[in-house]
PDB file of all heavy atoms in Angstrom:
ATOM      1  N   VAL A   1      -8.551  -6.876 -15.362  1.00  0.00           N
ATOM      2  CA  VAL A   1      -7.592  -7.583 -14.503  1.00  0.00           C
ATOM      3  C   VAL A   1      -6.407  -6.694 -14.214  1.00  0.00           C
ATOM      4  O   VAL A   1      -5.903  -6.632 -13.080  1.00  0.00           O
ATOM      5  CB  VAL A   1      -7.178  -8.914 -15.149  1.00  0.00           C
ATOM      6  CG1 VAL A   1      -6.010  -9.541 -14.414  1.00  0.00           C
ATOM      7  CG2 VAL A   1      -8.343  -9.902 -15.194  1.00  0.00           C
ATOM      8  N   ALA A   2      -5.918  -5.985 -15.211  1.00  0.00           N
ATOM      9  CA  ALA A   2      -4.755  -5.095 -15.041  1.00  0.00           C
ATOM     10  C   ALA A   2      -5.089  -3.976 -14.052  1.00  0.00           C
ATOM     11  O   ALA A   2      -4.268  -3.649 -13.170  1.00  0.00           O
ATOM     12  CB  ALA A   2      -4.331  -4.525 -16.378  1.00  0.00           C
ATOM     13  N   VAL A   3      -6.287  -3.402 -14.172  1.00  0.00           N
ATOM     14  CA  VAL A   3      -6.688  -2.328 -13.249  1.00  0.00           C
ATOM     15  C   VAL A   3      -6.844  -2.883 -11.865  1.00  0.00           C
ATOM     16  O   VAL A   3      -6.403  -2.263 -10.868  1.00  0.00           O
ATOM     17  CB  VAL A   3      -8.025  -1.658 -13.744  1.00  0.00           C
ATOM     18  CG1 VAL A   3      -8.616  -0.768 -12.684  1.00  0.00           C
ATOM     19  CG2 VAL A   3      -7.787  -0.911 -15.032  1.00  0.00           C
ATOM     20  N   PHE A   4      -7.442  -4.116 -11.731  1.00  0.00           N
ATOM     21  CA  PHE A   4      -7.575  -4.744 -10.421  1.00  0.00           C
ATOM     22  C   PHE A   4      -6.221  -5.022  -9.798  1.00  0.00           C
ATOM     23  O   PHE A   4      -5.983  -4.738  -8.615  1.00  0.00           O
ATOM     24  CB  PHE A   4      -8.401  -6.036 -10.557  1.00  0.00           C
ATOM     25  CG  PHE A   4      -8.608  -6.745  -9.260  1.00  0.00           C
ATOM     26  CD1 PHE A   4      -9.470  -6.268  -8.304  1.00  0.00           C
ATOM     27  CD2 PHE A   4      -7.882  -7.900  -8.973  1.00  0.00           C
ATOM     28  CE1 PHE A   4      -9.663  -6.906  -7.107  1.00  0.00           C
ATOM     29  CE2 PHE A   4      -8.046  -8.565  -7.772  1.00  0.00           C
ATOM     30  CZ  PHE A   4      -8.931  -8.081  -6.832  1.00  0.00           C
ATOM     31  N   VAL A   5      -5.312  -5.570 -10.567  1.00  0.00           N
ATOM     32  CA  VAL A   5      -3.965  -5.872 -10.065  1.00  0.00           C
ATOM     33  C   VAL A   5      -3.257  -4.561  -9.677  1.00  0.00           C
ATOM     34  O   VAL A   5      -2.585  -4.498  -8.613  1.00  0.00           O
ATOM     35  CB  VAL A   5      -3.149  -6.654 -11.133  1.00  0.00           C
ATOM     36  CG1 VAL A   5      -1.666  -6.749 -10.725  1.00  0.00           C
ATOM     37  CG2 VAL A   5      -3.721  -8.065 -11.302  1.00  0.00           C
ATOM     38  N   ALA A   6      -3.406  -3.518 -10.471  1.00  0.00           N
ATOM     39  CA  ALA A   6      -2.772  -2.244 -10.133  1.00  0.00           C
ATOM     40  C   ALA A   6      -3.368  -1.651  -8.855  1.00  0.00           C
ATOM     41  O   ALA A   6      -2.641  -1.126  -8.030  1.00  0.00           O
ATOM     42  CB  ALA A   6      -2.939  -1.275 -11.310  1.00  0.00           C
ATOM     43  N   ALA A   7      -4.674  -1.787  -8.713  1.00  0.00           N
ATOM     44  CA  ALA A   7      -5.336  -1.269  -7.505  1.00  0.00           C
ATOM     45  C   ALA A   7      -4.893  -2.038  -6.289  1.00  0.00           C
ATOM     46  O   ALA A   7      -4.608  -1.466  -5.218  1.00  0.00           O
ATOM     47  CB  ALA A   7      -6.868  -1.331  -7.654  1.00  0.00           C
ATOM     48  N   VAL A   8      -4.813  -3.358  -6.383  1.00  0.00           N
ATOM     49  CA  VAL A   8      -4.354  -4.191  -5.265  1.00  0.00           C
ATOM     50  C   VAL A   8      -2.895  -3.854  -4.952  1.00  0.00           C
ATOM     51  O   VAL A   8      -2.504  -3.735  -3.769  1.00  0.00           O
ATOM     52  CB  VAL A   8      -4.550  -5.710  -5.567  1.00  0.00           C
ATOM     53  CG1 VAL A   8      -3.854  -6.549  -4.536  1.00  0.00           C
ATOM     54  CG2 VAL A   8      -6.022  -6.039  -5.627  1.00  0.00           C
ATOM     55  N   GLY A   9      -2.096  -3.701  -5.966  1.00  0.00           N
ATOM     56  CA  GLY A   9      -0.660  -3.352  -5.763  1.00  0.00           C
ATOM     57  C   GLY A   9      -0.545  -1.985  -5.122  1.00  0.00           C
ATOM     58  O   GLY A   9       0.257  -1.786  -4.184  1.00  0.00           O
ATOM     59  N   PHE A  10      -1.317  -1.028  -5.605  1.00  0.00           N
ATOM     60  CA  PHE A  10      -1.295   0.317  -5.023  1.00  0.00           C
ATOM     61  C   PHE A  10      -1.736   0.292  -3.562  1.00  0.00           C
ATOM     62  O   PHE A  10      -1.116   0.898  -2.702  1.00  0.00           O
ATOM     63  CB  PHE A  10      -2.197   1.244  -5.843  1.00  0.00           C
ATOM     64  CG  PHE A  10      -2.198   2.662  -5.341  1.00  0.00           C
ATOM     65  CD1 PHE A  10      -1.066   3.479  -5.515  1.00  0.00           C
ATOM     66  CD2 PHE A  10      -3.302   3.185  -4.668  1.00  0.00           C
ATOM     67  CE1 PHE A  10      -1.089   4.785  -5.068  1.00  0.00           C
ATOM     68  CE2 PHE A  10      -3.294   4.472  -4.190  1.00  0.00           C
ATOM     69  CZ  PHE A  10      -2.184   5.296  -4.412  1.00  0.00           C
ATOM     70  N   ALA A  11      -2.782  -0.480  -3.262  1.00  0.00           N
ATOM     71  CA  ALA A  11      -3.276  -0.602  -1.886  1.00  0.00           C
ATOM     72  C   ALA A  11      -2.233  -1.247  -1.030  1.00  0.00           C
ATOM     73  O   ALA A  11      -2.012  -0.837   0.125  1.00  0.00           O
ATOM     74  CB  ALA A  11      -4.574  -1.390  -1.853  1.00  0.00           C
ATOM     75  N   GLY A  12      -1.497  -2.243  -1.536  1.00  0.00           N
ATOM     76  CA  GLY A  12      -0.451  -2.902  -0.787  1.00  0.00           C
ATOM     77  C   GLY A  12       0.701  -1.950  -0.488  1.00  0.00           C
ATOM     78  O   GLY A  12       1.241  -1.919   0.633  1.00  0.00           O
ATOM     79  N   VAL A  13       1.075  -1.149  -1.491  1.00  0.00           N
ATOM     80  CA  VAL A  13       2.155  -0.185  -1.295  1.00  0.00           C
ATOM     81  C   VAL A  13       1.736   0.859  -0.241  1.00  0.00           C
ATOM     82  O   VAL A  13       2.502   1.213   0.640  1.00  0.00           O
ATOM     83  CB  VAL A  13       2.520   0.461  -2.649  1.00  0.00           C
ATOM     84  CG1 VAL A  13       3.445   1.641  -2.421  1.00  0.00           C
ATOM     85  CG2 VAL A  13       3.187  -0.549  -3.540  1.00  0.00           C
ATOM     86  N   VAL A  14       0.523   1.404  -0.386  1.00  0.00           N
ATOM     87  CA  VAL A  14       0.050   2.418   0.525  1.00  0.00           C
ATOM     88  C   VAL A  14      -0.055   1.829   1.934  1.00  0.00           C
ATOM     89  O   VAL A  14       0.350   2.454   2.930  1.00  0.00           O
ATOM     90  CB  VAL A  14      -1.324   2.992   0.060  1.00  0.00           C
ATOM     91  CG1 VAL A  14      -1.945   3.848   1.165  1.00  0.00           C
ATOM     92  CG2 VAL A  14      -1.149   3.791  -1.196  1.00  0.00           C
ATOM     93  N   GLY A  15      -0.555   0.585   2.075  1.00  0.00           N
ATOM     94  CA  GLY A  15      -0.643  -0.073   3.359  1.00  0.00           C
ATOM     95  C   GLY A  15       0.731  -0.247   3.996  1.00  0.00           C
ATOM     96  O   GLY A  15       0.915  -0.016   5.208  1.00  0.00           O
ATOM     97  N   GLY A  16       1.693  -0.674   3.228  1.00  0.00           N
ATOM     98  CA  GLY A  16       3.049  -0.842   3.736  1.00  0.00           C
ATOM     99  C   GLY A  16       3.627   0.482   4.199  1.00  0.00           C
ATOM    100  O   GLY A  16       4.314   0.557   5.234  1.00  0.00           O
ATOM    101  N   MET A  17       3.414   1.517   3.400  1.00  0.00           N
ATOM    102  CA  MET A  17       3.901   2.848   3.799  1.00  0.00           C
ATOM    103  C   MET A  17       3.261   3.295   5.111  1.00  0.00           C
ATOM    104  O   MET A  17       3.931   3.861   5.968  1.00  0.00           O
ATOM    105  CB  MET A  17       3.622   3.867   2.665  1.00  0.00           C
ATOM    106  CG  MET A  17       4.530   3.710   1.486  1.00  0.00           C
ATOM    107  SD  MET A  17       4.118   4.775   0.084  1.00  0.00           S
ATOM    108  CE  MET A  17       4.060   6.347   0.793  1.00  0.00           C
ATOM    109  N   LEU A  18       1.965   3.087   5.215  1.00  0.00           N
ATOM    110  CA  LEU A  18       1.266   3.477   6.417  1.00  0.00           C
ATOM    111  C   LEU A  18       1.783   2.704   7.640  1.00  0.00           C
ATOM    112  O   LEU A  18       1.937   3.244   8.731  1.00  0.00           O
ATOM    113  CB  LEU A  18      -0.236   3.314   6.278  1.00  0.00           C
ATOM    114  CG  LEU A  18      -0.904   4.321   5.329  1.00  0.00           C
ATOM    115  CD1 LEU A  18      -2.401   3.974   5.195  1.00  0.00           C
ATOM    116  CD2 LEU A  18      -0.738   5.722   5.826  1.00  0.00           C
ATOM    117  N   ARG A  19       2.029   1.362   7.425  1.00  0.00           N
ATOM    118  CA  ARG A  19       2.568   0.581   8.532  1.00  0.00           C
ATOM    119  C   ARG A  19       3.955   1.083   8.959  1.00  0.00           C
ATOM    120  O   ARG A  19       4.255   1.207  10.117  1.00  0.00           O
ATOM    121  CB  ARG A  19       2.651  -0.879   8.119  1.00  0.00           C
ATOM    122  CG  ARG A  19       1.475  -1.719   8.542  1.00  0.00           C
ATOM    123  CD  ARG A  19       1.787  -3.217   8.432  1.00  0.00           C
ATOM    124  NE  ARG A  19       2.392  -3.553   7.136  1.00  0.00           N
ATOM    125  CZ  ARG A  19       1.719  -3.888   6.019  1.00  0.00           C
ATOM    126  NH1 ARG A  19       0.422  -3.933   6.067  1.00  0.00           N
ATOM    127  NH2 ARG A  19       2.355  -4.199   4.898  1.00  0.00           N
ATOM    128  N   ARG A  20       4.810   1.320   7.959  1.00  0.00           N
ATOM    129  CA  ARG A  20       6.143   1.838   8.287  1.00  0.00           C
ATOM    130  C   ARG A  20       6.056   3.214   8.931  1.00  0.00           C
ATOM    131  O   ARG A  20       6.775   3.502   9.888  1.00  0.00           O
ATOM    132  CB  ARG A  20       6.995   1.910   7.037  1.00  0.00           C
ATOM    133  CG  ARG A  20       7.688   0.606   6.743  1.00  0.00           C
ATOM    134  CD  ARG A  20       8.620   0.756   5.602  1.00  0.00           C
ATOM    135  NE  ARG A  20       7.754   0.706   4.428  1.00  0.00           N
ATOM    136  CZ  ARG A  20       8.121   1.046   3.205  1.00  0.00           C
ATOM    137  NH1 ARG A  20       9.300   1.513   2.964  1.00  0.00           N
ATOM    138  NH2 ARG A  20       7.290   0.966   2.200  1.00  0.00           N
ATOM    139  N   GLN A  21       5.204   4.061   8.406  1.00  0.00           N
ATOM    140  CA  GLN A  21       5.040   5.392   8.966  1.00  0.00           C
ATOM    141  C   GLN A  21       4.511   5.314  10.392  1.00  0.00           C
ATOM    142  O   GLN A  21       4.984   6.000  11.283  1.00  0.00           O
ATOM    143  CB  GLN A  21       4.096   6.249   8.098  1.00  0.00           C
ATOM    144  CG  GLN A  21       3.985   7.664   8.571  1.00  0.00           C
ATOM    145  CD  GLN A  21       5.283   8.447   8.410  1.00  0.00           C
ATOM    146  OE1 GLN A  21       6.140   8.092   7.602  1.00  0.00           O
ATOM    147  NE2 GLN A  21       5.443   9.484   9.209  1.00  0.00           N
ATOM    148  N   GLY A  22       3.538   4.412  10.642  1.00  0.00           N
ATOM    149  CA  GLY A  22       3.002   4.242  11.978  1.00  0.00           C
ATOM    150  C   GLY A  22       4.051   3.718  12.938  1.00  0.00           C
ATOM    151  O   GLY A  22       4.161   4.172  14.082  1.00  0.00           O
ATOM    152  N   THR A  23       4.893   2.792  12.490  1.00  0.00           N
ATOM    153  CA  THR A  23       5.957   2.277  13.303  1.00  0.00           C
ATOM    154  C   THR A  23       6.965   3.357  13.615  1.00  0.00           C
ATOM    155  O   THR A  23       7.445   3.485  14.739  1.00  0.00           O
ATOM    156  CB  THR A  23       6.657   1.094  12.597  1.00  0.00           C
ATOM    157  OG1 THR A  23       5.676   0.118  12.258  1.00  0.00           O
ATOM    158  CG2 THR A  23       7.714   0.481  13.464  1.00  0.00           C
ATOM    159  N   ALA A  24       7.285   4.173  12.621  1.00  0.00           N
ATOM    160  CA  ALA A  24       8.258   5.259  12.840  1.00  0.00           C
ATOM    161  C   ALA A  24       7.689   6.310  13.822  1.00  0.00           C
ATOM    162  O   ALA A  24       8.385   6.807  14.654  1.00  0.00           O
ATOM    163  CB  ALA A  24       8.616   5.938  11.505  1.00  0.00           C
ATOM    164  N   VAL A  25       6.392   6.598  13.677  1.00  0.00           N
ATOM    165  CA  VAL A  25       5.759   7.536  14.567  1.00  0.00           C
ATOM    166  C   VAL A  25       5.742   6.983  15.992  1.00  0.00           C
ATOM    167  O   VAL A  25       6.060   7.708  16.944  1.00  0.00           O
ATOM    168  CB  VAL A  25       4.347   7.910  14.092  1.00  0.00           C
ATOM    169  CG1 VAL A  25       3.579   8.658  15.162  1.00  0.00           C
ATOM    170  CG2 VAL A  25       4.427   8.694  12.799  1.00  0.00           C
TER     171      VAL A  25
END
């Protein structure tokens, strides 16, 4: 569960960064 939560959290952070980066671009 901890690995799953960490993976989901990491995916959420990476997705947010990509969205912000895409918006900035």
Side-chain angles (χ1 to χ4, degrees):
V1 169
V3 169
F4 180 74
V5 169
V8 169
F10 182 72
V13 169
V14 169
M17 286 174 52
L18 289 176
R19 263 195 313 271
R20 274 186 280 165
Q21 185 66 24
T23 304
V25 169

